[in-house]
Amino acid sequence: MKITIAQAPQYIEQEVTIGAWLSNKRSSGKIAFLQLRDGTGFMQGVVVKSDVSEDVFSTSKNITQESSLYVTGKIVEDTRSDFGYEMQVSNVEVIHEANDYPITPKEHGTEFLMDHRHLWLRSKKQHAVMKIRNEIIRSTYEYFNKEGFVKVDPPILTGSSAEGTTELFHTKYFDEEAYLSQSGQLYMEAAAMALGKVFSFGPTFRAEKSKTRRHLIEFWMIEPEMAFVEHEESLQIQENYVSHIVQSVLTNCKLELSVLDRDLSKLEKIKAPFPRISYDEAIDMLKEKDFDDIEWGEDFGAPHETAIAESYDMPVFITNYPKDIKAFYMKPHPDRSDVVLCADLIAPEGYGEIIGGSQRIDDLELMEQRYEEHGLTGPAYQWYLELRKYGSVPHSGFGLGLERTVAWLSGVEHVRETIPFPRLLNRLYP
Ligand code: 4AD
Ligand code: MG
């Protein structure tokens, strides 16, 4: 019977075969411990010299790291391991022998590991991070499907910018100039007018010259957009959504979180509602925390966000930023024309902004005025104006950065470990 490591608990005391790679090995004269991995999990195979043929024992002792194998044996409980099961091996068949695998169990530098990302992904830690990423994606679809959202896929090749022109990736579209999408938002607004509540999940591109632990050139974003939903209701949807993914990861990724040594007590607290402070209050708070030189009207950098987050053990919404440092489409505050109805959600523990969102301008004249102020001309933007011309409604939306969320829940320091093949300022390989 061929099974996977993940299925092992259902086959206790049964003889099964697993296709696996050897991730590590220890052996003595009488016994060999094979650390097996098959993608679904990690499990130890124990080969006892007196229980197997001479051939099988000598193969087991000599298998090289990352060789591929069919391993046959009996599944037994093993209370000492995190996984809880191991295999008493009766046969080992080498499929392919790997020689001189470059990533050995010793420590390697980050650049070396990044150059070998195609192999580094096989390691226990990277495996755990990818499984957590997958659980966030799975629970995202679960949440939005349950809440009646329709998944819509905006284009990646676009003729207009959504979040300002300085970070655009340019490309040729036959004879025209095109850009890689920075955000699907403008298209999602059109979709919300057709389908009510929608969400997208796709890659976005920012030619940002930032070399920080929070910035990728290519990252994945979840972008919900909701007709007839105003700012406050949007915040409630955001906090419920984030609570849902955190609780899903806690429930379904116990093993992965333990591999990563994640402090669970910090995640267990994450439940809606989240605290909210205004940009004005955030400025006051920063002045009290030794950022005396910050002026009203300035945008926050990573150190500011981290300082604010330190006061909370939950993600915190910073609302109502000055209009001049935010995108052209954000709706002005009804009582204050200098700030907009927006919020950034700042994750705890220094992971920074994970969501940017706002209520959108729904008034045609005001949007035309913003176009003028921002120099948005040409046919690429005309269709977006028409959404304000034909049955305009109050609407809001937000974008959650997947990689920053994975970094936070996994507790990994840098976003480069949260996406299979990161695109960074100086890295397009592998
Ligand atoms: O705040 P941003 O730029 O918002 C938008 O793009 C809106 N159009 C979203 C919307 O309202 N539909 O980006 C949203 C999120 C950020 O909060 C952050 O988590 C992530 O995307 N993000 C990045 N993640 C990794 N690397 C980068 N360079 C990122 N830039 C933004
Ligand atoms: Mg933002």
Side-chain angles (χ1 to χ4, degrees):
M1 171 72 124
K2 188 157 82 56
I3 68 159
T4 63
I5 290 176
Q7 291 169 328
Q10 302 154 39
Y11 291 88
I12 300 169
E13 296 298 324
Q14 295 185 46
E15 174 108 343
V16 295
T17 297
I18 290 174
W21 292 266
L22 184 83
S23 66
N24 203 353
K25 180 190 69 185
R26 240 169 0 101
S27 62
S28 69
K30 293 195 174 102
I31 194 160
F33 297 100
L34 311 179
Q35 304 309 323
L36 305 170
R37 57 165 201 91
D38 76 341
T40 73
F42 291 76
M43 186 174 73
Q44 174 164 275
V46 183
V47 195
V48 179
K49 188 174 182 190
S50 55
D51 293 351
V52 297
S53 72
E54 220 164 274
D55 249 15
V56 168
F57 193 70
S58 97
T59 304
S60 304
K61 277 195 75 159
N62 295 318
I63 314 170
T64 49
Q65 191 191 348
E66 286 306 315
S67 289
S68 47
L69 319 163
Y70 282 121
V71 192
T72 301
K74 193 165 78 175
I75 304 293
V76 293
E77 281 188 69
D78 166 34
T79 48
R80 287 154 308 175
S81 75
D82 275 353
F83 180 51
Y85 304 88
E86 64 179 21
M87 180 189 266
Q88 291 174 349
V89 177
S90 54
N91 193 32
V92 177
E93 182 194 326
V94 177
I95 304 168
H96 178 251
E97 185 180 303
N99 284 308
D100 304 320
Y101 186 68
I103 306 177
T104 58
K106 68 163 199 195
E107 287 274 315
H108 293 281
T110 303
E111 282 310 299
F112 178 87
L113 290 170
M114 291 296 291
D115 285 342
H116 294 86
R117 183 66 178 165
H118 50 295
L119 303 175
W120 188 25
L121 279 173
R122 302 178 182 194
S123 79
K124 206 167 186 175
K125 180 179 172 198
Q126 300 306 314
H127 180 268
V129 175
M130 289 304 127
K131 292 292 284 282
I132 288 172
R133 180 183 170 103
N134 180 64
E135 178 58 22
I136 296 172
I137 296 168
R138 192 204 63 76
S139 59
T140 290
Y141 279 82
E142 179 179 74
Y143 180 82
F144 288 113
N145 283 322
K146 178 171 64 85
E147 295 295 320
F149 286 65
V150 179
K151 166 100 192 312
V152 170
D153 306 310
I156 289 169
L157 286 166
T158 66
S160 57
S161 95
E163 291 293 316
T165 49
T166 50
E167 298 164 352
L168 277 177
F169 260 110
H170 295 244
T171 181
K172 274 257 146 298
Y173 194 78
F174 305 106
D175 295 334
E176 284 178 68
E177 176 97 35
Y179 315 102
L180 299 184
S181 175
Q182 292 173 308
S183 158
Q185 181 195 317
L186 307 190
Y187 297 97
M188 296 309 287
E189 287 184 52
M193 300 308 140
L195 293 150
K197 290 195 283 184
V198 292
F199 75 106
S200 66
F201 173 51
T204 46
F205 306 84
R206 307 255 170 119
E208 283 188 271
K209 295 264 156 70
S210 323
K211 220 177 162 179
T212 80
R213 68 187 189 93
R214 297 167 177 184
H215 285 92
L216 290 161
I217 305 300
E218 178 178 314
F219 66 96
W220 287 64
M221 192 153 50
I222 290 122
E223 294 192 276
E225 193 70 35
M226 304 153 289
F228 307 104
V229 168
E230 307 219 18
H231 184 52
E232 172 55 32
E233 191 185 344
S234 174
L235 297 188
Q236 290 165 16
I237 291 164
Q238 293 171 47
E239 62 198 5
N240 287 331
Y241 164 48
V242 171
S243 302
H244 178 76
I245 55 182
V246 174
Q247 296 307 318
S248 299
V249 166
L250 280 168
T251 307
N252 299 321
C253 297
K254 290 199 176 73
L255 206 59
E256 290 77 10
L257 292 166
S258 110
V259 165
L260 295 165
D261 258 332
R262 187 69 175 97
D263 182 349
L264 298 184
S265 67
K266 294 229 163 68
L267 297 181
E268 278 158 358
K269 288 188 196 130
I270 311 297
K271 290 207 174 101
F274 298 160
R276 287 135 215 236
I277 59 167
S278 68
Y279 172 89
D280 294 2
E281 289 166 330
I283 289 280
D284 291 343
M285 189 186 267
L286 287 169
K287 283 191 190 294
E288 278 166 32
K289 287 188 182 239
D290 298 338
F291 290 95
D292 352 304
D293 52 345
I294 188 143
E295 299 277 355
W296 195 96
E298 284 174 32
D299 206 354
F300 298 146
H304 304 115
E305 288 174 359
T306 303
I308 293 165
E310 269 167 11
S311 305
Y312 304 91
D313 50 15
M314 288 271 203
V316 52
F317 286 113
I318 306 178
T319 66
N320 305 343
Y321 280 72
K323 142 179 169 288
D324 293 339
I325 54 170
K326 286 292 181 188
F328 72 93
Y329 49 71
M330 294 189 183
K331 190 179 173 85
H333 192 285
D335 311 322
R336 286 242 335 244
S337 61
D338 57 341
V339 300
V340 285
L341 293 174
C342 72
D344 284 354
L345 183 66
I346 314 299
E349 301 176 71
Y351 287 95
E353 178 200 323
I354 53 168
I355 290 184
S358 65
Q359 183 163 344
R360 323 304 193 185
I361 292 173
D362 49 60
D363 180 71
L364 179 64
E365 260 173 51
L366 181 57
M367 190 60 95
E368 282 172 334
Q369 190 185 319
R370 287 285 183 277
Y371 270 37
E372 211 143 289
E373 289 163 13
H374 289 259
L376 305 175
T377 51
Y381 289 96
Q382 281 315 303
W383 65 265
Y384 186 67
L385 279 185
E386 289 188 9
L387 306 178
R388 277 79 188 159
K389 217 164 142 187
Y390 304 114
S392 191
V393 298
H395 63 288
S396 305
F398 61 94
L400 173 129
L402 178 63
E403 288 75 16
R404 289 188 191 175
T405 307
V406 177
W408 167 40
L409 299 188
S410 307
V412 303
E413 178 73 12
H414 198 296
V415 286
R416 67 184 162 222
E417 290 184 45
T418 64
I419 184 165
F421 296 97
R423 297 296 172 238
L424 300 162
L425 196 49
N426 296 315
R427 183 170 292 280
L428 192 57
Y429 176 92

